[in-house]
Short mmCIF file of all heavy atoms in Angstrom, two decimals:
data_model
loop_
_atom_site.label_atom_id
_atom_site.label_comp_id
_atom_site.label_asym_id
_atom_site.label_seq_id
_atom_site.Cartn_x
_atom_site.Cartn_y
_atom_site.Cartn_z
N ALA A 1 -26.36 2.25 -4.01
CA ALA A 1 -25.77 3.08 -5.07
C ALA A 1 -24.83 2.19 -5.90
O ALA A 1 -24.14 1.32 -5.40
CB ALA A 1 -25.05 4.24 -4.46
N VAL A 2 -24.80 2.49 -7.17
CA VAL A 2 -23.97 1.73 -8.12
C VAL A 2 -22.50 1.70 -7.69
O VAL A 2 -21.84 0.69 -7.73
CB VAL A 2 -24.13 2.30 -9.55
CG1 VAL A 2 -23.16 1.64 -10.49
CG2 VAL A 2 -25.55 2.13 -10.03
N GLY A 3 -21.98 2.84 -7.29
CA GLY A 3 -20.58 2.94 -6.90
C GLY A 3 -20.21 1.99 -5.79
O GLY A 3 -19.14 1.36 -5.81
N PHE A 4 -21.12 1.80 -4.83
CA PHE A 4 -20.83 0.88 -3.74
C PHE A 4 -20.85 -0.57 -4.19
O PHE A 4 -20.08 -1.40 -3.71
CB PHE A 4 -21.81 1.10 -2.56
CG PHE A 4 -21.47 2.32 -1.74
CD1 PHE A 4 -22.27 3.42 -1.79
CD2 PHE A 4 -20.36 2.34 -0.93
CE1 PHE A 4 -22.00 4.57 -1.05
CE2 PHE A 4 -20.04 3.47 -0.18
CZ PHE A 4 -20.86 4.58 -0.26
N GLU A 5 -21.77 -0.89 -5.11
CA GLU A 5 -21.83 -2.28 -5.61
C GLU A 5 -20.54 -2.63 -6.35
O GLU A 5 -19.98 -3.69 -6.17
CB GLU A 5 -23.02 -2.45 -6.54
CG GLU A 5 -24.36 -2.44 -5.79
CD GLU A 5 -25.54 -2.52 -6.71
OE1 GLU A 5 -25.40 -3.05 -7.84
OE2 GLU A 5 -26.62 -2.04 -6.30
N GLU A 6 -20.09 -1.71 -7.19
CA GLU A 6 -18.83 -1.92 -7.93
C GLU A 6 -17.66 -2.03 -6.98
O GLU A 6 -16.77 -2.85 -7.16
CB GLU A 6 -18.62 -0.83 -8.95
CG GLU A 6 -19.62 -0.85 -10.10
CD GLU A 6 -19.50 0.36 -10.99
OE1 GLU A 6 -18.68 1.28 -10.70
OE2 GLU A 6 -20.18 0.38 -12.00
N MET A 7 -17.66 -1.19 -5.97
CA MET A 7 -16.57 -1.22 -5.00
C MET A 7 -16.59 -2.56 -4.25
O MET A 7 -15.52 -3.13 -3.97
CB MET A 7 -16.65 -0.05 -4.00
CG MET A 7 -15.52 -0.02 -2.99
SD MET A 7 -15.76 1.23 -1.74
CE MET A 7 -14.92 2.59 -2.53
N GLY A 8 -17.75 -3.05 -3.95
CA GLY A 8 -17.88 -4.32 -3.27
C GLY A 8 -17.27 -5.45 -4.08
O GLY A 8 -16.57 -6.32 -3.54
N HIS A 9 -17.53 -5.43 -5.38
CA HIS A 9 -16.94 -6.46 -6.27
C HIS A 9 -15.45 -6.35 -6.28
O HIS A 9 -14.72 -7.35 -6.15
CB HIS A 9 -17.52 -6.32 -7.67
CG HIS A 9 -16.90 -7.25 -8.63
ND1 HIS A 9 -17.10 -8.62 -8.65
CD2 HIS A 9 -16.02 -7.02 -9.70
CE1 HIS A 9 -16.39 -9.16 -9.62
NE2 HIS A 9 -15.75 -8.22 -10.26
N PHE A 10 -14.94 -5.13 -6.41
CA PHE A 10 -13.48 -4.91 -6.46
C PHE A 10 -12.83 -5.37 -5.16
O PHE A 10 -11.83 -6.10 -5.16
CB PHE A 10 -13.16 -3.45 -6.71
CG PHE A 10 -11.66 -3.16 -6.74
CD1 PHE A 10 -10.96 -3.44 -7.87
CD2 PHE A 10 -11.03 -2.64 -5.64
CE1 PHE A 10 -9.57 -3.21 -7.90
CE2 PHE A 10 -9.68 -2.41 -5.65
CZ PHE A 10 -8.94 -2.69 -6.79
N THR A 11 -13.40 -4.96 -4.02
CA THR A 11 -12.79 -5.32 -2.73
C THR A 11 -12.86 -6.83 -2.49
O THR A 11 -11.95 -7.39 -1.86
CB THR A 11 -13.44 -4.57 -1.56
OG1 THR A 11 -14.84 -4.80 -1.54
CG2 THR A 11 -13.18 -3.07 -1.67
N HIS A 12 -13.89 -7.48 -2.98
CA HIS A 12 -13.97 -8.94 -2.82
C HIS A 12 -12.82 -9.62 -3.57
O HIS A 12 -12.18 -10.54 -3.03
CB HIS A 12 -15.31 -9.45 -3.37
CG HIS A 12 -15.42 -10.95 -3.32
ND1 HIS A 12 -15.60 -11.65 -2.15
CD2 HIS A 12 -15.38 -11.88 -4.31
CE1 HIS A 12 -15.63 -12.94 -2.42
NE2 HIS A 12 -15.50 -13.09 -3.73
N GLU A 13 -12.52 -9.16 -4.77
CA GLU A 13 -11.43 -9.75 -5.54
C GLU A 13 -10.06 -9.45 -4.87
O GLU A 13 -9.21 -10.30 -4.81
CB GLU A 13 -11.43 -9.22 -6.98
CG GLU A 13 -12.66 -9.67 -7.76
CD GLU A 13 -12.81 -11.17 -7.83
OE1 GLU A 13 -11.80 -11.88 -8.11
OE2 GLU A 13 -13.94 -11.67 -7.64
N PHE A 14 -9.92 -8.21 -4.41
CA PHE A 14 -8.69 -7.80 -3.72
C PHE A 14 -8.52 -8.63 -2.46
O PHE A 14 -7.41 -9.10 -2.13
CB PHE A 14 -8.76 -6.32 -3.41
CG PHE A 14 -7.50 -5.73 -2.79
CD1 PHE A 14 -6.26 -6.23 -3.04
CD2 PHE A 14 -7.60 -4.64 -1.95
CE1 PHE A 14 -5.13 -5.67 -2.46
CE2 PHE A 14 -6.49 -4.05 -1.36
CZ PHE A 14 -5.24 -4.60 -1.64
N GLU A 15 -9.61 -8.86 -1.74
CA GLU A 15 -9.56 -9.68 -0.52
C GLU A 15 -9.12 -11.13 -0.85
O GLU A 15 -8.36 -11.72 -0.07
CB GLU A 15 -10.92 -9.71 0.15
CG GLU A 15 -10.94 -10.53 1.44
CD GLU A 15 -12.33 -10.61 2.06
OE1 GLU A 15 -13.32 -10.50 1.34
OE2 GLU A 15 -12.36 -10.81 3.29
N SER A 16 -9.54 -11.66 -1.97
CA SER A 16 -9.10 -12.99 -2.38
C SER A 16 -7.59 -13.02 -2.53
O SER A 16 -6.97 -14.02 -2.13
CB SER A 16 -9.78 -13.39 -3.69
OG SER A 16 -11.16 -13.50 -3.53
N LEU A 17 -7.02 -12.00 -3.06
CA LEU A 17 -5.58 -11.92 -3.20
C LEU A 17 -4.90 -11.90 -1.82
O LEU A 17 -3.95 -12.64 -1.56
CB LEU A 17 -5.19 -10.67 -4.00
CG LEU A 17 -3.71 -10.41 -4.20
CD1 LEU A 17 -3.11 -11.40 -5.19
CD2 LEU A 17 -3.49 -9.01 -4.71
N LEU A 18 -5.44 -11.06 -0.93
CA LEU A 18 -4.89 -10.96 0.42
C LEU A 18 -4.99 -12.27 1.17
O LEU A 18 -4.06 -12.68 1.89
CB LEU A 18 -5.54 -9.82 1.20
CG LEU A 18 -5.35 -8.43 0.62
CD1 LEU A 18 -6.22 -7.42 1.37
CD2 LEU A 18 -3.88 -8.03 0.65
N LEU A 19 -6.12 -12.95 1.03
CA LEU A 19 -6.28 -14.26 1.69
C LEU A 19 -5.31 -15.29 1.16
O LEU A 19 -4.79 -16.09 1.92
CB LEU A 19 -7.70 -14.76 1.55
CG LEU A 19 -8.78 -14.02 2.38
CD1 LEU A 19 -10.16 -14.48 2.03
CD2 LEU A 19 -8.49 -14.23 3.86
N ARG A 20 -5.06 -15.28 -0.13
CA ARG A 20 -4.11 -16.23 -0.71
C ARG A 20 -2.72 -16.01 -0.09
O ARG A 20 -2.02 -16.96 0.21
CB ARG A 20 -4.11 -16.02 -2.22
CG ARG A 20 -3.22 -16.94 -3.00
CD ARG A 20 -3.84 -18.25 -3.40
NE ARG A 20 -5.12 -18.24 -3.98
CZ ARG A 20 -5.43 -18.28 -5.28
NH1 ARG A 20 -4.46 -18.27 -6.17
NH2 ARG A 20 -6.67 -18.31 -5.68
N ILE A 21 -2.36 -14.76 0.09
CA ILE A 21 -1.08 -14.45 0.73
C ILE A 21 -1.08 -14.87 2.19
O ILE A 21 -0.15 -15.50 2.68
CB ILE A 21 -0.76 -12.94 0.59
CG1 ILE A 21 -0.54 -12.59 -0.86
CG2 ILE A 21 0.43 -12.55 1.46
CD1 ILE A 21 -0.55 -11.10 -1.18
N LYS A 22 -2.14 -14.54 2.90
CA LYS A 22 -2.26 -14.89 4.31
C LYS A 22 -2.17 -16.38 4.55
O LYS A 22 -1.54 -16.86 5.50
CB LYS A 22 -3.60 -14.37 4.87
CG LYS A 22 -3.81 -14.71 6.33
CD LYS A 22 -5.19 -14.24 6.78
CE LYS A 22 -5.46 -14.74 8.21
NZ LYS A 22 -6.85 -14.51 8.58
N GLU A 23 -2.77 -17.15 3.64
CA GLU A 23 -2.77 -18.62 3.79
C GLU A 23 -1.47 -19.26 3.31
O GLU A 23 -1.31 -20.48 3.39
CB GLU A 23 -3.92 -19.19 2.97
CG GLU A 23 -5.28 -18.82 3.51
CD GLU A 23 -6.43 -19.11 2.54
OE1 GLU A 23 -6.18 -19.48 1.38
OE2 GLU A 23 -7.58 -18.95 2.99
N GLY A 24 -0.50 -18.42 2.86
CA GLY A 24 0.77 -18.95 2.42
C GLY A 24 0.74 -19.57 1.05
O GLY A 24 1.65 -20.31 0.66
N LYS A 25 -0.30 -19.32 0.29
CA LYS A 25 -0.45 -19.90 -1.05
C LYS A 25 0.14 -19.01 -2.11
O LYS A 25 0.18 -19.40 -3.29
CB LYS A 25 -1.93 -20.19 -1.34
CG LYS A 25 -2.51 -21.23 -0.43
CD LYS A 25 -4.00 -21.44 -0.72
CE LYS A 25 -4.59 -22.45 0.25
NZ LYS A 25 -6.02 -22.59 0.04
N MET A 26 0.59 -17.83 -1.71
CA MET A 26 1.21 -16.87 -2.64
C MET A 26 2.30 -16.10 -1.91
O MET A 26 2.11 -15.74 -0.76
CB MET A 26 0.14 -15.92 -3.21
CG MET A 26 0.69 -14.91 -4.19
SD MET A 26 -0.62 -13.78 -4.73
CE MET A 26 -1.53 -14.82 -5.79
N VAL A 27 3.39 -15.91 -2.56
CA VAL A 27 4.52 -15.17 -2.00
C VAL A 27 4.39 -13.72 -2.39
O VAL A 27 3.94 -13.38 -3.48
CB VAL A 27 5.85 -15.75 -2.55
CG1 VAL A 27 7.02 -14.93 -2.05
CG2 VAL A 27 6.01 -17.19 -2.18
N ILE A 28 4.76 -12.85 -1.45
CA ILE A 28 4.71 -11.41 -1.73
C ILE A 28 5.96 -11.04 -2.46
O ILE A 28 6.99 -10.70 -1.89
CB ILE A 28 4.58 -10.59 -0.43
CG1 ILE A 28 3.34 -10.97 0.36
CG2 ILE A 28 4.52 -9.09 -0.78
CD1 ILE A 28 3.16 -10.23 1.62
N SER A 29 5.88 -11.14 -3.78
CA SER A 29 7.00 -10.74 -4.66
C SER A 29 6.85 -9.26 -4.96
O SER A 29 5.80 -8.64 -4.71
CB SER A 29 6.90 -11.55 -5.96
OG SER A 29 5.69 -11.24 -6.63
N PRO A 30 7.87 -8.63 -5.53
CA PRO A 30 7.74 -7.22 -5.88
C PRO A 30 6.53 -6.91 -6.77
O PRO A 30 5.83 -5.92 -6.54
CB PRO A 30 9.10 -6.89 -6.56
CG PRO A 30 10.04 -7.80 -5.87
CD PRO A 30 9.25 -9.10 -5.67
N PRO A 31 6.24 -7.72 -7.80
CA PRO A 31 5.04 -7.45 -8.62
C PRO A 31 3.75 -7.54 -7.81
O PRO A 31 2.82 -6.75 -8.00
CB PRO A 31 5.08 -8.47 -9.73
CG PRO A 31 6.50 -8.89 -9.83
CD PRO A 31 7.04 -8.80 -8.43
N VAL A 32 3.66 -8.51 -6.88
CA VAL A 32 2.45 -8.66 -6.07
C VAL A 32 2.33 -7.48 -5.11
O VAL A 32 1.24 -6.92 -4.93
CB VAL A 32 2.47 -10.01 -5.31
CG1 VAL A 32 1.34 -10.07 -4.29
CG2 VAL A 32 2.33 -11.17 -6.28
N MET A 33 3.43 -7.03 -4.54
CA MET A 33 3.40 -5.90 -3.63
C MET A 33 2.96 -4.64 -4.39
O MET A 33 2.15 -3.84 -3.91
CB MET A 33 4.78 -5.66 -2.99
CG MET A 33 4.84 -4.44 -2.09
SD MET A 33 3.66 -4.47 -0.72
CE MET A 33 4.41 -5.67 0.31
N ASN A 34 3.49 -4.49 -5.61
CA ASN A 34 3.12 -3.36 -6.44
C ASN A 34 1.62 -3.38 -6.73
O ASN A 34 0.94 -2.34 -6.68
CB ASN A 34 3.91 -3.36 -7.75
CG ASN A 34 3.75 -2.11 -8.56
OD1 ASN A 34 3.64 -1.00 -8.01
ND2 ASN A 34 3.70 -2.26 -9.86
N LEU A 35 1.08 -4.54 -7.04
CA LEU A 35 -0.35 -4.68 -7.28
C LEU A 35 -1.18 -4.34 -6.06
O LEU A 35 -2.18 -3.65 -6.15
CB LEU A 35 -0.66 -6.10 -7.77
CG LEU A 35 -2.13 -6.45 -8.02
CD1 LEU A 35 -2.74 -5.51 -9.04
CD2 LEU A 35 -2.27 -7.91 -8.45
N MET A 36 -0.73 -4.78 -4.90
CA MET A 36 -1.44 -4.49 -3.67
C MET A 36 -1.46 -2.98 -3.41
O MET A 36 -2.52 -2.42 -3.03
CB MET A 36 -0.78 -5.21 -2.48
CG MET A 36 -1.00 -6.69 -2.51
SD MET A 36 -0.06 -7.68 -1.31
CE MET A 36 -0.06 -6.68 0.13
N LEU A 37 -0.37 -2.31 -3.66
CA LEU A 37 -0.31 -0.87 -3.46
C LEU A 37 -1.19 -0.13 -4.46
O LEU A 37 -1.87 0.85 -4.09
CB LEU A 37 1.13 -0.36 -3.56
CG LEU A 37 2.04 -0.81 -2.43
CD1 LEU A 37 3.50 -0.45 -2.75
CD2 LEU A 37 1.63 -0.22 -1.11
N LYS A 38 -1.24 -0.60 -5.70
CA LYS A 38 -2.13 0.01 -6.71
C LYS A 38 -3.59 -0.17 -6.28
O LYS A 38 -4.38 0.74 -6.43
CB LYS A 38 -1.92 -0.65 -8.07
CG LYS A 38 -0.65 -0.21 -8.78
CD LYS A 38 -0.56 -0.90 -10.13
CE LYS A 38 0.71 -0.53 -10.85
NZ LYS A 38 0.80 -1.23 -12.17
N CYS A 39 -3.92 -1.36 -5.79
CA CYS A 39 -5.30 -1.61 -5.34
C CYS A 39 -5.65 -0.68 -4.16
O CYS A 39 -6.75 -0.14 -4.12
CB CYS A 39 -5.50 -3.05 -4.94
SG CYS A 39 -5.53 -4.22 -6.34
N ASN A 40 -4.73 -0.54 -3.25
CA ASN A 40 -4.98 0.32 -2.09
C ASN A 40 -5.18 1.79 -2.56
O ASN A 40 -6.12 2.47 -2.09
CB ASN A 40 -3.80 0.27 -1.15
CG ASN A 40 -4.02 1.07 0.11
OD1 ASN A 40 -4.90 0.74 0.90
ND2 ASN A 40 -3.22 2.11 0.29
N ASP A 41 -4.34 2.27 -3.45
CA ASP A 41 -4.50 3.62 -3.98
C ASP A 41 -5.82 3.81 -4.70
O ASP A 41 -6.49 4.82 -4.56
CB ASP A 41 -3.35 3.97 -4.95
CG ASP A 41 -2.01 4.10 -4.24
OD1 ASP A 41 -1.99 4.20 -3.00
OD2 ASP A 41 -0.99 4.12 -4.96
N HIS A 42 -6.21 2.76 -5.47
CA HIS A 42 -7.48 2.81 -6.18
C HIS A 42 -8.64 2.93 -5.22
O HIS A 42 -9.55 3.73 -5.42
CB HIS A 42 -7.58 1.55 -7.04
CG HIS A 42 -8.79 1.49 -7.93
ND1 HIS A 42 -8.97 2.32 -9.04
CD2 HIS A 42 -9.87 0.69 -7.89
CE1 HIS A 42 -10.11 2.02 -9.61
NE2 HIS A 42 -10.69 1.05 -8.93
N LEU A 43 -8.63 2.14 -4.18
CA LEU A 43 -9.70 2.18 -3.16
C LEU A 43 -9.73 3.52 -2.48
O LEU A 43 -10.84 4.08 -2.23
CB LEU A 43 -9.56 1.05 -2.15
CG LEU A 43 -9.97 -0.30 -2.65
CD1 LEU A 43 -9.57 -1.40 -1.62
CD2 LEU A 43 -11.47 -0.36 -2.91
N ALA A 44 -8.58 4.06 -2.12
CA ALA A 44 -8.55 5.36 -1.45
C ALA A 44 -9.12 6.45 -2.32
O ALA A 44 -9.92 7.30 -1.88
CB ALA A 44 -7.11 5.70 -1.05
N GLN A 45 -8.77 6.42 -3.61
CA GLN A 45 -9.32 7.40 -4.55
C GLN A 45 -10.79 7.21 -4.72
O GLN A 45 -11.56 8.20 -4.80
CB GLN A 45 -8.61 7.28 -5.89
CG GLN A 45 -9.09 8.29 -6.92
CD GLN A 45 -8.40 8.12 -8.25
OE1 GLN A 45 -7.62 7.19 -8.47
NE2 GLN A 45 -8.71 9.03 -9.18
N TRP A 46 -11.25 5.97 -4.74
CA TRP A 46 -12.68 5.68 -4.91
C TRP A 46 -13.48 6.22 -3.74
O TRP A 46 -14.54 6.81 -3.92
CB TRP A 46 -12.86 4.18 -5.04
CG TRP A 46 -14.09 3.73 -5.78
CD1 TRP A 46 -15.22 4.45 -6.02
CD2 TRP A 46 -14.26 2.49 -6.43
NE1 TRP A 46 -16.10 3.70 -6.77
CE2 TRP A 46 -15.52 2.49 -7.01
CE3 TRP A 46 -13.50 1.35 -6.54
CZ2 TRP A 46 -16.05 1.40 -7.72
CZ3 TRP A 46 -13.98 0.25 -7.24
CH2 TRP A 46 -15.25 0.32 -7.82
N VAL A 47 -12.98 6.02 -2.54
CA VAL A 47 -13.67 6.51 -1.34
C VAL A 47 -13.80 8.04 -1.43
O VAL A 47 -14.89 8.59 -1.17
CB VAL A 47 -12.94 6.09 -0.06
CG1 VAL A 47 -13.47 6.86 1.15
CG2 VAL A 47 -13.09 4.58 0.14
N GLU A 48 -12.73 8.72 -1.78
CA GLU A 48 -12.79 10.17 -1.92
C GLU A 48 -13.79 10.61 -2.99
O GLU A 48 -14.51 11.58 -2.80
CB GLU A 48 -11.39 10.75 -2.20
CG GLU A 48 -10.43 10.62 -1.04
CD GLU A 48 -10.96 11.20 0.25
OE1 GLU A 48 -11.46 12.37 0.24
OE2 GLU A 48 -10.90 10.53 1.30
N THR A 49 -13.84 9.87 -4.08
CA THR A 49 -14.76 10.19 -5.18
C THR A 49 -16.21 9.98 -4.70
O THR A 49 -17.10 10.78 -5.00
CB THR A 49 -14.47 9.32 -6.41
OG1 THR A 49 -13.12 9.59 -6.83
CG2 THR A 49 -15.44 9.61 -7.55
N LEU A 50 -16.46 8.89 -3.97
CA LEU A 50 -17.81 8.61 -3.50
C LEU A 50 -18.27 9.67 -2.45
O LEU A 50 -19.46 9.89 -2.32
CB LEU A 50 -17.90 7.22 -2.91
CG LEU A 50 -17.89 6.09 -3.90
CD1 LEU A 50 -17.78 4.72 -3.21
CD2 LEU A 50 -19.14 6.11 -4.79
N LYS A 51 -17.34 10.27 -1.74
CA LYS A 51 -17.69 11.31 -0.78
C LYS A 51 -18.30 12.52 -1.50
O LYS A 51 -19.17 13.22 -0.98
CB LYS A 51 -16.46 11.77 0.00
CG LYS A 51 -16.01 10.80 1.05
CD LYS A 51 -14.78 11.38 1.76
CE LYS A 51 -14.24 10.42 2.78
NZ LYS A 51 -13.03 11.00 3.43
N ILE A 52 -17.85 12.73 -2.75
CA ILE A 52 -18.30 13.85 -3.55
C ILE A 52 -19.58 13.48 -4.31
O ILE A 52 -20.51 14.28 -4.39
CB ILE A 52 -17.23 14.32 -4.53
CG1 ILE A 52 -16.02 14.83 -3.75
CG2 ILE A 52 -17.72 15.36 -5.48
CD1 ILE A 52 -14.77 15.00 -4.57
N ASP A 53 -19.61 12.25 -4.86
CA ASP A 53 -20.74 11.82 -5.66
C ASP A 53 -21.03 10.37 -5.31
O ASP A 53 -20.34 9.45 -5.74
CB ASP A 53 -20.39 11.95 -7.15
CG ASP A 53 -21.53 11.46 -8.07
OD1 ASP A 53 -22.61 11.07 -7.56
OD2 ASP A 53 -21.35 11.50 -9.28
N ILE A 54 -22.08 10.15 -4.54
CA ILE A 54 -22.41 8.83 -4.01
C ILE A 54 -22.67 7.79 -5.10
O ILE A 54 -22.56 6.61 -4.89
CB ILE A 54 -23.61 8.92 -3.02
CG1 ILE A 54 -23.74 7.66 -2.16
CG2 ILE A 54 -24.90 9.17 -3.77
CD1 ILE A 54 -22.67 7.54 -1.13
N SER A 55 -22.98 8.24 -6.30
CA SER A 55 -23.28 7.30 -7.38
C SER A 55 -22.12 7.16 -8.35
O SER A 55 -22.26 6.61 -9.43
CB SER A 55 -24.55 7.71 -8.11
OG SER A 55 -24.36 8.95 -8.72
N ALA A 56 -20.96 7.72 -7.98
CA ALA A 56 -19.80 7.69 -8.88
C ALA A 56 -19.33 6.28 -9.14
O ALA A 56 -19.50 5.38 -8.33
CB ALA A 56 -18.64 8.51 -8.25
N SER A 57 -18.76 6.12 -10.29
CA SER A 57 -18.22 4.83 -10.71
C SER A 57 -16.78 5.01 -11.11
O SER A 57 -16.40 6.08 -11.60
CB SER A 57 -19.03 4.29 -11.90
OG SER A 57 -18.53 3.10 -12.37
N MET A 58 -15.97 4.00 -10.91
CA MET A 58 -14.56 4.09 -11.31
C MET A 58 -14.27 2.82 -12.12
O MET A 58 -14.80 1.74 -11.87
CB MET A 58 -13.65 4.19 -10.11
CG MET A 58 -13.71 5.50 -9.43
SD MET A 58 -12.50 5.76 -8.13
CE MET A 58 -10.97 5.67 -9.01
N ASP A 59 -13.39 2.99 -13.07
CA ASP A 59 -12.99 1.87 -13.93
C ASP A 59 -11.93 1.03 -13.23
O ASP A 59 -10.82 1.48 -13.02
CB ASP A 59 -12.46 2.37 -15.27
CG ASP A 59 -12.14 1.24 -16.23
OD1 ASP A 59 -12.49 0.07 -15.94
OD2 ASP A 59 -11.49 1.53 -17.25
N SER A 60 -12.32 -0.19 -12.86
CA SER A 60 -11.41 -1.11 -12.18
C SER A 60 -11.00 -2.27 -13.09
O SER A 60 -10.36 -3.19 -12.63
CB SER A 60 -12.09 -1.66 -10.91
OG SER A 60 -12.47 -0.64 -10.05
N THR A 61 -11.36 -2.18 -14.35
CA THR A 61 -11.16 -3.30 -15.27
C THR A 61 -9.73 -3.78 -15.31
O THR A 61 -9.45 -4.96 -15.18
CB THR A 61 -11.60 -2.90 -16.70
OG1 THR A 61 -12.93 -2.39 -16.64
CG2 THR A 61 -11.52 -4.06 -17.63
N GLY A 62 -8.80 -2.83 -15.46
CA GLY A 62 -7.38 -3.21 -15.54
C GLY A 62 -6.87 -3.83 -14.26
O GLY A 62 -6.18 -4.87 -14.30
N LEU A 63 -7.19 -3.24 -13.12
CA LEU A 63 -6.73 -3.77 -11.86
C LEU A 63 -7.38 -5.15 -11.56
O LEU A 63 -6.70 -6.05 -11.06
CB LEU A 63 -7.05 -2.81 -10.72
CG LEU A 63 -6.01 -1.72 -10.45
CD1 LEU A 63 -6.49 -0.80 -9.36
CD2 LEU A 63 -4.67 -2.31 -10.11
N LEU A 64 -8.65 -5.30 -11.91
CA LEU A 64 -9.30 -6.60 -11.71
C LEU A 64 -8.65 -7.66 -12.58
O LEU A 64 -8.48 -8.81 -12.12
CB LEU A 64 -10.79 -6.49 -12.00
CG LEU A 64 -11.62 -5.79 -10.95
CD1 LEU A 64 -13.04 -5.55 -11.44
CD2 LEU A 64 -11.67 -6.58 -9.65
N ALA A 65 -8.26 -7.29 -13.79
CA ALA A 65 -7.53 -8.26 -14.64
C ALA A 65 -6.19 -8.63 -14.04
O ALA A 65 -5.79 -9.77 -14.07
CB ALA A 65 -7.37 -7.68 -16.04
N ASP A 66 -5.51 -7.63 -13.49
CA ASP A 66 -4.22 -7.89 -12.85
C ASP A 66 -4.38 -8.77 -11.62
O ASP A 66 -3.56 -9.69 -11.38
CB ASP A 66 -3.52 -6.59 -12.45
CG ASP A 66 -3.08 -5.74 -13.65
OD1 ASP A 66 -3.05 -6.31 -14.79
OD2 ASP A 66 -2.79 -4.57 -13.47
N VAL A 67 -5.39 -8.54 -10.83
CA VAL A 67 -5.66 -9.36 -9.63
C VAL A 67 -5.98 -10.78 -10.08
O VAL A 67 -5.45 -11.75 -9.51
CB VAL A 67 -6.78 -8.78 -8.79
CG1 VAL A 67 -7.23 -9.76 -7.71
CG2 VAL A 67 -6.35 -7.47 -8.15
N ALA A 68 -6.83 -10.94 -11.09
CA ALA A 68 -7.17 -12.27 -11.60
C ALA A 68 -5.94 -13.00 -12.09
O ALA A 68 -5.75 -14.18 -11.85
CB ALA A 68 -8.22 -12.15 -12.69
N ALA A 69 -5.08 -12.27 -12.82
CA ALA A 69 -3.85 -12.89 -13.33
C ALA A 69 -2.95 -13.34 -12.19
O ALA A 69 -2.36 -14.45 -12.24
CB ALA A 69 -3.10 -11.90 -14.20
N ALA A 70 -2.85 -12.54 -11.14
CA ALA A 70 -2.03 -12.93 -9.97
C ALA A 70 -2.64 -14.14 -9.26
O ALA A 70 -1.92 -15.04 -8.85
CB ALA A 70 -1.95 -11.75 -8.99
N LEU A 71 -3.96 -14.18 -9.14
CA LEU A 71 -4.58 -15.30 -8.49
C LEU A 71 -4.51 -16.61 -9.30
O LEU A 71 -4.43 -17.70 -8.71
CB LEU A 71 -6.10 -15.00 -8.25
CG LEU A 71 -6.41 -13.96 -7.19
CD1 LEU A 71 -7.86 -13.57 -7.23
CD2 LEU A 71 -6.00 -14.45 -5.80
N ASN A 72 -4.44 -16.46 -10.59
CA ASN A 72 -4.39 -17.65 -11.47
C ASN A 72 -2.98 -18.06 -11.86
O ASN A 72 -2.81 -18.99 -12.60
CB ASN A 72 -5.23 -17.43 -12.72
CG ASN A 72 -6.69 -17.31 -12.40
OD1 ASN A 72 -7.19 -18.00 -11.55
ND2 ASN A 72 -7.37 -16.38 -13.05
N GLY A 73 -2.02 -17.31 -11.33
CA GLY A 73 -0.79 -17.73 -11.58
C GLY A 73 0.47 -17.47 -11.96
O GLY A 73 1.38 -18.02 -12.13
#
């Protein structure tokens, strides 16, 4: 289903952020913590949406841009 493919892409990018923190390559600053919480909320909402409509899609563009910005610097 399309929703799962999109979710897979989003979670992969979010995981990259978490790994960077785990490896000590990024400090958990207030903005990074806020981003992590937003990503968590987004995923929770997405799961609930997919329970209702297996082919549902959610716009992750803004969060993906924020994750990319955090990863790049």
Side-chain angles (χ1 to χ4, degrees):
V2 172
F4 283 109
E5 289 176 25
E6 292 174 355
M7 181 186 271
H9 175 70
F10 179 81
T11 56
H12 176 73
E13 295 302 316
F14 184 31
E15 181 184 26
S16 295
L17 178 71
L18 295 173
L19 287 173
R20 182 86 48 97
I21 293 166
K22 179 184 173 189
E23 294 167 352
K25 296 178 182 176
M26 181 182 286
V27 176
I28 303 179
S29 63
V32 171
M33 178 58 74
N34 189 37
L35 178 57
M36 290 171 38
L37 291 171
K38 284 181 182 179
C39 288
N40 184 66
D41 290 347
H42 184 69
L43 284 171
Q45 182 181 4
W46 206 337
V47 168
E48 291 305 313
T49 301
L50 286 172
K51 285 180 184 178
I52 296 167
D53 179 2
I54 196 73
S55 63
S57 178
M58 289 188 62
D59 183 11
S60 302
T61 308
L63 275 177
L64 285 171
D66 292 345
V67 169
L71 289 170
N72 293 322

